[in-house]
Amino acid sequence: MSKDLQGLLNAIFDAENNALRTSSSSSSSGSLAVIGRTVVGVGGAASIDFTSIPADYESLRVVYAGRGTAAVTDVELRLRLNNDSAANYDWRNLFVSEGGITTATAAGETSARFAATIAASATAGKAGTAAILIPSYARTVFHKTMTGEIGYPLNETTGIRRAEATAVWRSTAAVTQITLLLSSGNFAEGSVATLYGQKGA
Amino acid sequence: MADKLIIDCSTGEESTEALTTAEEQDRATLAAESEAAATAEAGRTTRREQAAQRLRTIGSGTGTVSAADTRFIAKVLAVVVANMAVDPDA
């Protein structure tokens, strides 16, 4: 992607963000506002970090669309909160794929797994998607339980996969930072991540 | 290796930072863990496929069903029933 095109995209997104921020200031219960958004540029990104997340909302929603650069069909999509890389994450994923329905689970890991996203060996032009919900992120009573819906089409025939995920961060701290990671490689150019805040939900 | 992409939600500003040595090590650890999990899952998939093939062979009606085959069928059924969402006696 050229720098001119990247600049134009950023300008459009900035304008949209500002409009949404303005509308959210008088928003009704349950409305979504864009807190942050990025489009990965030339060279890719090792990780995507949303920092200084305001505590103004009831829930956070991370929406991702993109792919990885590793020379495989798919890589694990991972998430960390508040840059905590200690063994504080538990998760279970449910996969629906050409092989049937399977699950995977782990406890005490250093990041939460949200199934997978496609990578360089998947059919060209495809993107993996994820929508991750973090309710009560600013409250400090309970550990943070997150849920996710993930789609990752490896090809146009049998490899159209779907996953559901639940993950827990063993901390009562308010969430101020969200980091998206891949198990190998980088986020490819053109991948998009958006952080929404939801009020009253 | 690509840089980290950082979005400061208080200002909307975007920036990049090179990975620290610790973060590079963290990525290597994550990759190794992922590979180990994938290998384990591949092993489970292989065993499932082998079990399915054995059942297909038993079900084909050719040859004799041995006592070992009968025990194998019973074990598979036990797993299936344990995961049934309905009452198997209903």
Side-chain angles (χ1 to χ4, degrees):
Chain A
M1 186 181 299
S2 70
K3 286 190 174 179
D4 287 346
L5 180 55
Q6 185 69 58
L8 179 61
L9 283 171
N10 288 340
I12 292 169
F13 288 144
D14 287 344
E16 189 178 350
N17 285 351
N18 289 336
L20 284 165
R21 280 199 185 97
T22 301
S23 67
S24 71
S25 64
S26 58
S27 62
S28 60
S29 175
S31 64
L32 285 175
V34 175
I35 297 174
R37 173 185 279 161
T38 189
V39 181
V40 175
V42 176
S47 61
I48 298 173
D49 263 296
F50 292 101
T51 65
S52 303
I53 297 170
D56 303 342
Y57 303 93
E58 189 60 37
S59 304
L60 295 176
R61 186 178 293 271
V62 181
V63 177
Y64 159 82
R67 54 193 293 159
T69 61
V72 291
T73 56
D74 57 295
V75 291
E76 293 180 11
L77 180 63
R78 295 267 178 169
L79 181 147
R80 275 192 185 131
L81 299 177
N82 291 11
N83 202 29
D84 178 9
S85 59
N88 286 326
Y89 301 86
D90 314 313
W91 56 264
R92 178 176 290 279
N93 292 176
L94 172 70
F95 300 89
V96 181
S97 73
E98 64 278 20
I101 297 173
T102 57
T103 67
T105 187
E109 290 209 326
T110 59
S111 60
R113 182 179 179 188
F114 283 86
T117 193
I118 64 171
S121 299
T123 299
K126 306 301 176 193
T129 62
I132 298 168
L133 178 67
I134 312 174
S136 296
Y137 73 100
R139 300 186 187 281
T140 56
V141 177
F142 301 122
H143 292 176
K144 304 300 177 289
T145 300
M146 304 167 270
T147 55
E149 296 181 359
I150 302 98
Y152 56 115
L154 309 186
N155 52 47
E156 295 175 335
T157 53
T158 59
I160 301 167
R161 298 181 175 179
R162 175 178 172 78
E164 303 280 338
T166 298
V168 177
W169 180 41
R170 299 177 188 175
S171 173
T172 59
V175 175
T176 57
Q177 181 175 349
I178 297 172
T179 306
L180 293 175
L181 304 158
L182 299 176
S183 58
S184 70
N186 301 309
F187 289 99
E189 178 187 353
S191 298
V192 182
T194 307
L195 176 63
Y196 296 91
Q198 185 170 12
K199 291 195 173 184
Chain B
M1 187 177 295
D3 290 342
K4 297 184 293 182
L5 181 55
I6 300 164
I7 304 96
D8 185 328
C9 297
S10 65
T11 64
E13 289 182 5
E14 194 172 301
S15 62
T16 58
E17 278 182 18
L19 292 175
T20 64
T21 302
E23 286 168 337
E24 287 183 5
Q25 180 58 45
D26 175 58
R27 277 168 63 91
T29 301
L30 184 58
E33 288 173 351
S34 172
E35 191 171 335
T39 300
E41 179 55 31
R44 286 190 290 273
T45 299
T46 299
R47 290 193 294 279
R48 279 196 299 270
E49 289 170 351
Q50 288 171 340
Q53 183 55 45
R54 185 173 179 182
L55 287 171
R56 278 193 287 270
T57 301
I58 293 169
S60 69
T62 59
T64 305
V65 177
S66 67
D69 287 339
T70 304
R71 285 194 296 274
F72 173 70
I73 294 167
K75 284 180 186 176
V76 171
L77 283 173
V79 173
V80 171
V81 171
N83 286 284
M84 285 176 71
V86 298
D87 181 352
D89 289 330

